[in-house]
Amino acid sequence: MMKKIRTAGAAAAALLAVYMLSGCADAIKDGTKALEEGRYEEAQELFQEAAGDADDKTAAEAYRGLGMAYYEQEEYTSALEAFQTALDKGGEQTVQIYNLMGICGMKTSDYGSALGYFQSGLAMAETSEGEDTDAGLIQEMRYNEIVCYEQTADWESAKQKISEYLADYPGDETAEKEAEFLETR
């Protein structure tokens, strides 16, 4: 029945600017500006240029930007690879990046991996004391976690998670319909 994926939308591009390091290479600064202005192909080229930097921190930021450019162009496989490379190079692990990686997994029908990304992001949010994590983002990730359980036919986990979700977010009509659907499983 319900296969809707809640996505990060246009706000995703703005997230990158928050995590940019001061003093980054000009290509990263220019790429970030191009990304914010919706010039995704140009941003992609600039971030690819910066990704070759020998400094892992700079390269990690470039790969994060590259992932955002691919994500905005709906090239989800490439976006996921770029985000993973950013993390592999020591880029900052954030709830936001795990959410984007989860969405990429869902968009490429790799629901098992997507579930892992969402769970990593949710675990990070739970242990982040004093950090402001967008409540809407957490809600989105929890909902997408349910969708992943459904897609992997883990009906019991999906039922448990939808019950917990509705207890925390009563009145979510889409989730209520989802709960009705899960009762038939």
Side-chain angles (χ1 to χ4, degrees):
M1 164 155 183
M2 212 310 300
K3 302 294 186 268
K4 179 182 174 195
I5 299 172
R6 294 188 182 173
T7 60
L15 291 176
L16 179 64
V18 175
Y19 297 104
M20 296 307 299
L21 298 170
S22 58
C24 285
D26 287 341
I28 291 179
K29 289 178 185 178
D30 294 344
T32 300
K33 183 175 182 185
L35 188 65
E36 290 171 344
E37 293 174 355
R39 295 180 283 123
Y40 304 124
E41 289 179 12
E42 180 182 343
Q44 180 181 330
E45 291 173 15
L46 290 162
F47 288 126
Q48 283 175 333
E49 175 186 328
D53 195 293
D55 177 57
D56 277 350
K57 218 169 200 180
T58 300
E61 289 304 317
Y63 277 107
R64 181 190 311 267
L66 187 57
M68 293 299 302
Y70 283 131
Y71 181 89
E72 293 295 339
Q73 295 175 87
E74 300 181 2
E75 295 178 30
Y76 300 112
T77 300
S78 296
L80 185 56
E81 290 171 3
F83 289 139
Q84 187 60 58
T85 302
L87 294 178
D88 292 345
K89 291 197 170 283
E92 184 180 4
Q93 294 182 31
T94 65
V95 174
Q96 293 84 354
I97 200 165
Y98 281 115
N99 182 53
L100 292 170
M101 293 172 77
I103 292 169
C104 289
M106 290 176 76
K107 294 285 191 174
T108 58
S109 300
D110 184 357
Y111 293 98
S113 293
L115 179 61
Y117 295 129
F118 289 129
Q119 289 173 335
S120 293
L122 290 167
M124 181 176 282
E126 286 179 16
T127 61
S128 299
E129 294 181 26
E131 291 183 29
D132 291 329
T133 301
D134 178 15
L137 178 63
I138 299 304
Q139 182 177 356
E140 173 185 318
M141 292 175 73
R142 288 184 62 194
Y143 183 86
N144 285 338
E145 181 183 31
I146 296 161
V147 173
C148 289
Y149 277 125
E150 284 182 19
Q151 292 299 312
T152 58
D154 185 347
W155 304 114
E156 292 308 311
S157 295
K159 289 176 186 179
Q160 177 188 345
K161 291 295 182 178
I162 195 74
S163 177
E164 294 169 5
Y165 179 94
L166 286 171
D168 291 339
Y169 308 105
D172 184 327
E173 292 179 17
T174 303
E176 289 171 354
K177 289 178 184 176
E178 192 62 21
E180 289 174 21
F181 167 73
L182 286 169
E183 288 302 315
T184 66
R185 300 289 172 228

